[in-house]
Structure formats: structure tokens, C-alpha cells
Amino acid sequence: MFQVIGERINTSRKKVQAAVVARDVKYIQEDVRSQQEAGAHFIDVNGGARIGHEQEDMQWLLETIAPVVTVPICLDSPDPTILEMAYTLVKEQPMVNSISLEKERFEVMMPFLKGKKCKIVALCMDDSGMPGSSTDILNRAEQLVTALVGIGMKLDDIYLDPLIQPISTDSGKGTMVLDAVRQIKKQFPEVHITGGLSNISYGLPERKIINRTFVTLMMAAGMDSAIIDPLDEKIMATIKTADMLNGKDIFCMNYLKGVRTGVIKS
Amino acid sequence: MVDLKEITQTLLELDEPKMLQLINKALESGTPADEILNDGLIAGMDIVGQKMENGDMFIPEVLMAAQAMSKGVEVIKHLLADDASSSKGTVVIGTVQGDLHDIGKNLVAMMMESAGLTVHNVGVDVSPDKFIELIKETNANILCLSALLTTTMPMMKQTIDALSESGLRAQVKVMVGGAPVTQEFANVIGADAFAPDAGSAAKRAKELVH
């Protein structure tokens, strides 16, 4: 089944930042509840937008969320000292977002991950920048999987992010990432594919229709997770329907349940 | 005579073949190359920038316009005086150290080039020292800094501080941009200007040096 990582608890979103500054417990808890009700499998928590306040904001967010959260948390920070602190504040095995092949991040994240029980988002990014071809993405995916398996991580705990790039700047960016995902899934069927879906539509109007259409193409290629807003009802309905068409919904139960609860409409 | 507004119009319509025809016709009828550049092509790209800022034109259309513009410039290049375009300002543009994003920054560079500025696009992950070296080398009067991550935004301040220490701050206007960057942040770190998109960035840059 497709796994939704709910992206809303992020201090780069204005309302969340205001709630964090005001220490508004109710707002944050309500948001987490509504994401869970909408079907989020993970709640991403990113407290990095207020420069110089990440430590306190992350800690406050995690303590605030703890009483209401019923799904695993996705700890989102580039800073291992923040992650180390955050890791001690979660009860259930978290997802960690993220590691990449960029030397500075890779070298501090590997010792952090070693021996820990968690899921990991692995970005196909290295010091030369964004990947330029599907082969590029595949090579980076191989390096990441090899390294992570090498320190004892299970394939099922690895969530590769192939880095979706804007189609507006190069009309080949869609097929590039689709090809890469097919190749990665062929080589590592147990590894998950996730990512920030909305990058595809950057610079174009009516972005949501692009995002919804693209997620179905990506799901056919093998993407089985995404970092999205679970309160976007249309994309959630599209994902549930595509999951069924992909053979992931036995007896179409989730689809029918979605229709009966009013979540899925034609 | 060819009305240069027609060249501008064909550029806006993204009709490259017709635009090139009109440029050749204008040259044949004796229109000076620098007039074709300034009143036809650059005037057109200024409107493209404006339309982009207003959400009336989108990135793929802007890219097509810029491509048409550069094809047009190729036709008239050999007829342009060497200093025809250097008078509008010289820009060093790059993504700050620790940040590898370049899509937005490249768009800004392209729009500035199309607006008639001399642009040195120096890439991503550029250290403060490297920026200073490049400003000296190119004698630039505008420095554009891009950052796409909240974690690399502080590097913009460090770059500006390094510029002050090097004694070059007075000769260079500094512009900042990137998804998490705001006007407020630009004020706090002592930048001269902020632009929210590539269209307005080119316009702001020209205002800064005039």
C-alpha cells in the first residue's frame, strides 16, 4: 500500500511557524490529528525554518505532538545533532529525513544511523548537485543502498528519493525520473521510493492537476510513498484509486471504503 | 523600414522564424544593430519579465523567448560595437556555499542576460572568498546570491560580511533571492535588494545600477 508522509508540520509554513512561536499546542495537535484522519502513515516534523531556533522548536514540536500521534514520526532535519536529540523524544521507531551522498552530510549521518532502529529517507544527491540523467539517479541509488545495507539497515527500511525536478525547465525531467524509478525497483524490489512530488510542477500554472497526474505515472513505475499534504482530498483520492488499479487493494476494499466515507468522488 | 515594435511583438509571440526574418529585413533597410538589440529584443524581454512577474507567462515560455532572443543576438552580434551591452552593468551570480540548487538561479541569470546585463554565472556551492575573487576578476558592480535552504541562508550574510571586510562592499550592489528568502531577511543581512522571481530580478538589477 502507498505510504503517505504528511508534510504539514513544517515551520516554513506560515501558520505552523506562527503556532510554534506562540507555543499554540492546540493548533499543532489538531493539525496532526487531521493528517492522521486523512490517512497519513507518517507525520513529518521539520522545525528548521527559524534560523537559530531549530533545537528548541523541534523539541517543543515533538513534545507537543507526542500525546496525539498514532503513527510514526518522520524526523526532518539536515543536522545530526538535532536528529540525535529528536530521536530520544519519540516513542515509536521513527523515519529519519534524510541522508544523501553529499560528503558533509553522508559522513555525519552514517555514524548516526549505525545501530539505530529507524527508517531512512535517502536523497539521490551528491556533491556534483542534482542528478542529470536516469543513469545518474540509479548510480546514486546503488551507492546509497550499498552503504546503508553495509551498516546493517534493512532494504525495507530504505526510502530512496530520486529527486523529482521541474518539468517547466526541461520537458525530459518527467521521463528521466520515471525511467530511474523503474530501474531502481528492478534492482532493489524491496526498497521504497518516495519524494517531494510537487517539485514536478514548479513554474507552471494549475499545479495540482500536474501533481495528481504525475503521481499515478510514478506509482505505475514503482513509487510507493510520497511527501505530500494529506488534507489535499483530490490527491489522496487519486492515490487510493491508483493503488487499486496497481493491484495493491485486495477486493478493492480501500477504494470502496473511500467511496462510502465520501473521500473518493468521481 | 521595419518597425522595431514588430520584432518585440514576434518575440512575445514566441515566433522565432518570423522574428529572425524581421531582424534581417531591419538590417537590410539600414537599422543599426544596437537599435535592434535595445528597442526590439531587450524591450521584448523586459515585457517577458514583467509578464512572468504577473503570472501571465510561465517558465517554459520564458525559456523559449530567451532562446529566440539569443538566436536574434547571434544574427546581429558581428555588427554590435564591443561596448554596446557592457554599459548596463556587470553581474556575478551564484548559489552560496553549501547549497547545490541552481534552477532558479540559472533562470535569473538568463533573464538578466536577456535584459542586456553582462552576466557571469559562477555556479553553485560558491565560497565567500571565491565570490570576492570573481568580483575582482570581472569588475562586477552587482552580486547576486541564491540560497534555497534555510540552512544555507546564513551563508548569504557571511558572504556580505566577507565582502565588507575585503573593502569591495561600496562598489558592489548585493541582491539576494531563493525560495525561503524574504525582503525582511534581505534587510537584516544588509543586502541592497531582494527579488521574488526571475522577471523582477532582472528589473531590480537594472534599477540598482542606474
Side-chain angles (χ1 to χ4, degrees), chain B residues 24-89:
Chain B
N24 281 316
K25 243 167 97 183
L27 286 175
E28 280 163 27
S29 66
T31 312
D34 66 318
E35 272 179 37
I36 297 175
L37 177 69
N38 288 312
D39 303 337
L41 298 174
I42 292 177
M45 287 307 290
D46 284 348
I47 301 174
V48 169
Q50 189 66 51
K51 281 179 177 278
M52 187 189 189
E53 203 181 328
N54 295 341
D56 295 332
M57 263 179 115
F58 301 99
I59 290 174
E61 295 164 319
V62 174
L63 290 173
M64 259 186 98
Q67 188 183 307
M69 153 112 190
S70 70
K71 289 270 173 63
V73 171
E74 259 170 52
V75 175
I76 56 174
K77 212 174 190 171
H78 65 288
L79 299 165
L80 289 170
D82 285 342
D83 60 351
S85 60
S86 61
S87 59
K88 290 196 173 66

Side-chain angles (χ1 to χ4, degrees), chain A residues 129-144:
Chain A
M130 299 289 274
S133 67
S134 54
T135 317
D136 229 5
I137 301 175
L138 182 65
N139 286 340
R140 295 173 187 197
E142 282 170 352
Q143 288 177 56
L144 284 162

Side-chain angles (χ1 to χ4, degrees), chain A residues 48-49 51 78 102 125-130 165-166 168-169 202-205, chain B residues 58-60 63 98 100-104 107 124-125 149-151 153-154 185:
Chain A
I51 295 163
E102 291 159 274
M125 183 87 164
D126 71 14
D127 284 320
S128 67
M130 299 289 274
Q165 297 172 50
S168 62
T169 59
Y202 170 80
L204 288 169
Chain B
F58 301 99
I59 290 174
L63 290 173
L100 299 169
H101 292 83
D102 67 352
I103 291 171
L107 273 173
V124 298
D125 195 16
L149 303 168
T150 50
T151 46
M153 278 164 68
F185 179 77

Side-chain angles (χ1 to χ4, degrees), chain A:
Chain A
M1 198 167 116
F2 194 88
Q3 299 178 16
V4 170
I5 304 169
E7 69 185 1
R8 296 173 57 85
I9 303 296
N10 188 323
T11 47
S12 65
R13 294 179 69 240
K14 275 186 195 141
K15 284 186 178 171
V16 172
Q17 182 162 139
V20 168
V21 172
R23 295 296 189 242
D24 184 345
V25 172
K26 198 169 157 245
Y27 180 92
I28 299 293
Q29 291 188 340
E30 274 309 307
D31 194 299
V32 170
R33 273 200 202 97
S34 58
Q35 290 192 68
Q36 288 171 171
E37 273 163 27
H41 298 88
F42 296 89
I43 301 291
D44 189 274
V45 180
N46 184 321
R50 291 204 306 146
I51 295 163
H53 296 272
E54 186 173 11
Q55 177 94 22
E56 46 171 312
D57 286 357
M58 193 68 167
Q59 184 172 351
W60 180 80
L61 278 169
L62 290 171
E63 285 168 358
T64 303
I65 288 166
V68 293
V69 76
T70 56
V71 297
I73 286 177
C74 177
L75 303 170
D76 188 353
S77 171
D79 184 346
T81 55
I82 301 281
L83 291 171
E84 198 74 65
M85 176 275 295
Y87 192 82
T88 63
L89 292 174
V90 292
K91 279 169 263 169
E92 203 176 339
Q93 178 189 328
M95 178 181 269
V96 171
N97 186 5
S98 56
I99 191 172
S100 76
L101 292 168
E102 291 159 274
K103 199 162 171 278
E104 265 182 40
R105 189 177 307 197
F106 185 81
E107 282 178 356
V108 288
M109 283 305 292
M110 287 299 278
F112 168 85
L113 290 169
K114 201 170 178 185
K116 284 205 175 62
K117 274 189 173 287
C118 62
K119 298 179 186 298
I120 179 75
V121 177
L123 311 180
C124 293
M125 183 87 164
D126 71 14
D127 284 320
S128 67
M130 299 289 274
S133 67
S134 54
T135 317
D136 229 5
I137 301 175
L138 182 65
N139 286 340
R140 295 173 187 197
E142 282 170 352
Q143 288 177 56
L144 284 162
V145 171
T146 308
L148 291 169
V149 169
I151 57 166
M153 296 204 75
K154 287 186 293 181
L155 288 170
D156 183 45
D157 285 335
I158 300 172
Y159 289 68
L160 283 172
D161 181 346
L163 300 180
I164 295 167
Q165 297 172 50
I167 193 107
S168 62
T169 59
D170 175 350
S171 39
K173 289 296 186 202
T175 47
M176 178 179 112
V177 72
L178 286 164
D179 286 345
V181 170
R182 277 184 215 107
Q183 290 173 49
I184 294 169
K185 283 304 266 191
K186 202 168 165 194
Q187 200 161 332
F188 306 108
E190 290 163 76
V191 162
H192 301 280
I193 307 285
T194 193
L197 199 63
S198 60
N199 294 344
I200 192 71
S201 59
Y202 170 80
L204 288 169
E206 302 296 335
R207 293 183 65 173
K208 286 187 173 177
I209 180 72
I210 303 173
N211 301 344
R212 286 204 297 275
T213 308
F214 193 59
V215 79
T216 63
L217 294 173
M218 285 291 276
M219 286 169 77
M223 185 184 221
D224 58 358
S225 169
I227 303 166
I228 57 169
D229 179 359
L231 301 194
D232 178 341
E233 289 173 357
K234 284 185 175 169
I235 200 163
M236 291 298 280
T238 302
I239 286 170
K240 283 201 174 86
T241 309
D243 235 6
M244 172 183 76
L245 295 170
N246 248 338
K248 305 277 173 65
D249 184 6
I250 311 296
F251 291 107
C252 312
M253 280 298 136
N254 287 329
Y255 176 81
L256 290 170
K257 195 179 153 202
V259 172
R260 291 218 169 86
T261 53
V263 177
I264 298 174
K265 287 183 217 107
S266 275

